Amino acid sequence: MTEHAFQYPDAQLIAGVDEVGRGPLVGAVVTAAVILDPAQPIVGLTDSKKLSEKKRLALYDEIKQKALAWSVGRAEPDEIDSLNILHATMLAMQRAVDGLSVTPDYALIDGNRIPPLSMPAEAVVKGDLRVAEISAASILAKVDRDHEMAMLDAAYPNYGFAQHKGYPTKVHMAALAEHGALPMHRKSFKPVKRALGID
């Protein structure tokens, strides 16, 4: 993992922030903020999508045990529909940072946009590959969201949520067409609108 050159190199407490779930048609967008403890390094942190599920779950537990602070934030489907996915993601990131038990000096946000925060922050493109704190956040957010999709799959087995995680795959589109939209579908997304007959 390459080190990121911070604009504020004297920052002691750095929070990494990432999101999972901007693209799916169902469920919340989930974000996490993590402040790592330099005295307790975690080996193997990288973009959550590049890890096996087994490795992700092991790191998920290790992050929660070793981090100085961590927090998960979310924006629900109705918030996504009323705000749009970008603004809902920024709100969920704000909630994750606000939920930290320790206030960071500085925040590093995956991507190219920064939510309104009470501390200085910097956007880092491909941050989940480049910054350990953002990698850790990506792992917490993905494991939590995947767990929610597994629970949704158990409640609504006809939709295949455990496999596609709510993304607009052929299986998901076919299920929408056949069974209709659920209350937790994002009604502002075009394929869901179509299924509801409001496109």
Side-chain angles (χ1 to χ4, degrees), residues 1-5 124-132 135:
M1 183 169 296
T2 58
E3 282 301 308
H4 183 73
V124 186
V125 174
K126 295 197 187 314
D128 45 12
L129 282 170
R130 300 169 59 198
V131 177
S135 300

Side-chain angles (χ1 to χ4, degrees), residues 174-187:
L176 261 176
E178 186 176 350
H179 305 293
L182 297 167
M184 61 289 300
H185 269 103
R186 300 172 182 179
K187 295 168 185 62

Side-chain angles (χ1 to χ4, degrees), residues 58-125:
L59 284 168
Y60 176 88
D61 291 337
E62 191 176 357
I63 292 160
K64 287 192 165 185
Q65 286 163 12
K66 291 184 174 178
L68 283 175
W70 60 269
S71 170
V72 174
R74 49 193 294 126
E76 302 299 336
D78 59 335
E79 293 177 306
I80 293 167
D81 290 337
S82 63
L83 294 171
N84 80 34
I85 186 61
L86 173 64
H87 289 100
T89 302
M90 294 296 108
L91 177 62
M93 285 181 166
Q94 249 181 319
R95 287 170 173 166
V97 174
D98 289 348
L100 288 166
S101 58
V102 178
T103 303
D105 304 320
Y106 199 62
L108 293 171
I109 316 294
D110 186 57
N112 58 8
R113 290 176 183 266
I114 300 170
L117 297 171
S118 59
M119 72 288 303
E122 186 178 339
V124 186
V125 174

Side-chain angles (χ1 to χ4, degrees), residues 48 50-62 139 143 146:
S48 61
K50 298 193 175 298
L51 297 165
S52 68
E53 186 177 9
K54 184 180 176 185
K55 183 65 176 165
R56 260 199 312 272
L57 290 170
L59 284 168
Y60 176 88
D61 291 337
E62 191 176 357
I139 290 164
V143 171
D146 284 358

